[in-house]
Amino acid sequence: MPKKDTAAAVIGMLSTAGAQTRRTPESTDNGEQASAPPSVTVTEDVPASVTTLPTPALPATAAATDAPRTLRLRPATAQRLRQAWLEAKRDDVLLTAQDFASDLVDEALARRRRSRTINRG
């Protein structure tokens, strides 16, 4: 199969791409002038009215209950957490960092709640 001459094809496409919008040298030589844009005259005053669109109210409960999913840890704590996750991942290769950290925080919060109830009562 012969190789196509893509350069000639591209030049051929580009050379006629704007043919309808470009002036040809013959049209400027004939003394044709470009027509001026039509002018518009307003005969009556129309009062302009401005209205604002209503802004939807944000649900107060959604903002209060949705906690940010990203927390910043101290560098030393983050390093210890990563090391603990890598050690736990040896036993469970499908364990994600998100699941490990979530389980760890859930356990710590439960221990904290228990210790608070014991100290109060």
Side-chain angles (χ1 to χ4, degrees):
M1 177 178 246
K3 188 175 179 181
K4 292 183 180 179
D5 186 13
T6 55
V10 170
I11 291 174
M13 288 186 283
L14 292 176
S15 65
T16 59
Q20 291 78 19
T21 60
R22 287 189 296 235
R23 287 189 181 183
T24 59
E26 297 88 32
S27 66
T28 56
D29 292 340
N30 292 339
E32 291 180 348
Q33 297 294 326
S35 62
S39 62
V40 177
T41 305
V42 178
T43 56
E44 47 183 81
D45 250 352
V46 178
S49 65
V50 177
T51 59
T52 59
L53 295 174
T55 57
L58 295 175
T61 58
T65 60
D66 290 346
R69 295 186 57 210
T70 304
L71 299 174
R72 297 229 179 240
L73 301 175
R74 291 183 297 269
T77 305
Q79 186 63 35
R80 289 195 335 247
L81 177 64
R82 180 168 172 76
Q83 288 301 321
W85 169 61
L86 290 174
E87 287 175 18
K89 194 168 175 65
R90 289 183 192 145
D91 296 331
D92 182 6
V93 294
L94 299 178
L95 181 64
T96 65
Q98 180 178 355
D99 289 340
F100 178 75
S102 295
D103 293 344
L104 196 63
V105 169
D106 287 340
E107 291 171 9
L109 290 173
R111 275 195 311 266
R112 183 176 179 145
R113 262 186 247 117
R114 281 194 302 263
S115 70
R116 282 186 156 182
T117 55
I118 292 172
N119 291 338
R120 287 183 190 171

